[in-house]
């Protein structure tokens, strides 16, 4: 079955999906073509997951240095599975 569109947008990254939404809002029959995951590299593998992991690392480092601020925490550790789970929720 052949379909006709007014516009085809290649890539469902941050620019692509926003362009597709806007084209639809303007009344254009729109197709969005994405070979991998919607949201692109930034959402799924780059910026956002990295920032979530870095935030956990910063909290860990702050806890390890808490005595500098007069805070006694005892031994500080981390649970990578929980860190990865939080990252997945953020994404």
């Amino acid at each position: 079955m052949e379909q006709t569109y007014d516009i085809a947008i290649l890539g469902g990254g941050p620019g692509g999906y926003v362009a597709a939404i806007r084209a639809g809002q303007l009344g254009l029959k729109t197709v969005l073509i994405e070979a991998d995951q919607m949201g692109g590299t930034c959402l799924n593998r780059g910026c956002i997951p990295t920032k979530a992991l870095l935030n956990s690392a910063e909290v860990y480092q702050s806890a390890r240095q808490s005595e500098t601020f007069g805070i006694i925490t005892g031994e500080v550790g981390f649970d990578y599975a929980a860190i990865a789970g939080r990252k997945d929720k953020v994404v």
Side-chain angles (χ1 to χ4, degrees), residues 9-69:
I9 297 170
L10 302 177
Y17 76 80
V18 171
I21 291 168
R22 186 66 181 137
Q25 290 171 336
L26 293 171
L28 298 172
K29 188 171 179 185
T30 306
V31 61
L32 176 61
I33 301 165
E34 172 55 57
D36 193 14
Q37 294 178 304
M38 282 300 207
T41 298
C42 184
L43 174 65
N44 295 292
R45 292 177 297 281
C47 308
I48 294 170
T50 300
K51 286 179 182 178
L53 293 173
L54 285 172
N55 183 249
S56 292
E58 289 168 1
V59 170
Y60 173 72
Q61 188 64 22
S62 291
R64 288 189 63 205
Q65 297 175 348
S66 64
E67 287 186 23
T68 303
F69 299 96

